Amino acid sequence: MHDKFQAFTESLHPKYEALMAQTPVTDGVLPREMKGSGVYLFSENGKSLYVGRTRNVRNRYGQHTRRSSGHNSAPFAFKLARHATGILKSDYKPGETSRAGLLLNEEFASAFADALERIRRMEFRFVEESDPTRQCLLEVYVSVVCGSPYNDFNTT
């Protein structure tokens, strides 16, 4: 392994341990000291479900949990709604199977709203990481180690 890359990866496990050791937020209110950029984890009943990264955790948490969030700002809720309705693929072309089109479907829109509410009740953890490269690697590391089922890192 190249020395430069190894230097980045050596910091991943200690950050993972700090994330997992944190007392999770469970009431939807982030403590004042939880701010900045880094990696976050949503879990439910101790099972890790979704890992993300952000430049502003307070803003990002709100996007994942606000009732007014849309499909682009709340991708985790969108994935939960897809699984709840059995509509596992969406289309990026305009139409009823597009992301925007799915939210016009009453059943899907209801599942999306339920998912936002469910996420508000989930356990939430965050660890600061300001370096964008380490942040990216840490997101993948935490997702792989935790086996979070809603992270797939697929691109279209």
Side-chain angles (χ1 to χ4, degrees), residues 30 42 90 103 108 112 117-118 125 156:
L30 301 184
F42 282 103
S90 58
L103 286 175
F108 191 88
F112 183 73
E117 180 63 35
R118 180 181 169 193
R125 291 177 173 84
T156 55

Side-chain angles (χ1 to χ4, degrees), residues 114-149:
D114 291 348
L116 289 169
E117 180 63 35
R118 180 181 169 193
I119 292 169
R120 275 192 292 282
R121 294 188 309 268
M122 286 184 183
E123 301 142 7
F124 181 80
R125 291 177 173 84
F126 171 76
V127 65
E128 281 190 67
E129 178 53 70
S130 59
D131 183 276
T133 303
R134 279 191 191 93
Q135 194 184 93
C136 177
L137 294 172
L138 183 59
E139 178 188 23
V140 173
Y141 184 83
V142 172
S143 177
V144 169
V145 171
C146 291
S148 55

Side-chain angles (χ1 to χ4, degrees), residues 83-104:
H83 283 264
T85 59
I87 304 170
L88 299 179
K89 295 212 49 123
S90 58
D91 198 343
Y92 289 95
K93 297 175 186 169
E96 64 183 39
T97 59
S98 71
R99 290 174 68 97
L102 286 174
L103 286 175
L104 297 175

Side-chain angles (χ1 to χ4, degrees), residues 54-116:
T54 183
R55 288 183 297 232
N56 182 331
V57 68
R58 301 186 79 71
N59 184 50
R60 191 69 185 110
Y61 182 77
Q63 290 173 329
H64 274 294
T65 59
R66 272 192 301 271
R67 287 178 179 88
S68 61
S69 290
H71 61 85
N72 286 328
S73 60
F76 180 32
F78 195 80
K79 287 181 180 191
L80 290 173
R82 284 187 2 213
H83 283 264
T85 59
I87 304 170
L88 299 179
K89 295 212 49 123
S90 58
D91 198 343
Y92 289 95
K93 297 175 186 169
E96 64 183 39
T97 59
S98 71
R99 290 174 68 97
L102 286 174
L103 286 175
L104 297 175
N105 173 311
E106 191 174 308
E107 177 190 9
F108 191 88
S110 177
F112 183 73
D114 291 348
L116 289 169

